[in-house]
Amino acid sequence: MNLVSIRIITARLEELVKFYEQVTGITAMQYTPDFAEVKTPTTTLAIGSTKTLLFFGGDEVAKPAQNSSVIIEFKSE
């Protein structure tokens, strides 16, 4: 298995994207108003709004701002 990304779920997407751009010095690719990625040579930090939880099964999968807001994604080969 390979680590694909670490995804942070937030209700404040724009603020979090700006924070990680500043911390990493990398410009995020914002694909939709609800999803952005900060790509490094070794992994991707994905930042999704709470609306993106529908792709993972709904609101119970992760909760923003409650230390339950990160999804670690693996890809099997």
Side-chain angles (χ1 to χ4, degrees):
M1 287 194 162
N2 293 321
L3 177 66
V4 175
S5 72
I6 299 200
R7 182 182 302 244
I8 299 173
I9 302 300
T10 182
R12 299 163 65 179
L13 186 92
E14 287 184 34
E15 292 175 43
L16 203 58
V17 168
K18 287 178 185 176
F19 171 78
Y20 280 105
E21 285 179 329
Q22 185 177 27
V23 168
T24 63
I26 299 170
T27 301
M29 294 293 300
Q30 189 148 356
Y31 299 101
T32 73
D34 295 307
F35 184 73
E37 292 181 330
V38 176
K39 292 188 176 196
T40 73
T42 56
T43 195
T44 298
L45 174 62
I47 305 167
S49 78
T50 53
K51 292 177 185 177
T52 64
L53 289 174
L54 294 173
F55 298 112
F56 296 98
D59 292 344
E60 296 304 313
V61 174
K63 301 222 182 267
Q66 295 184 15
N67 203 22
S68 299
S69 59
V70 174
I71 298 169
I72 301 173
E73 299 173 299
F74 291 93
K75 180 180 179 184
S76 63
E77 292 200 25

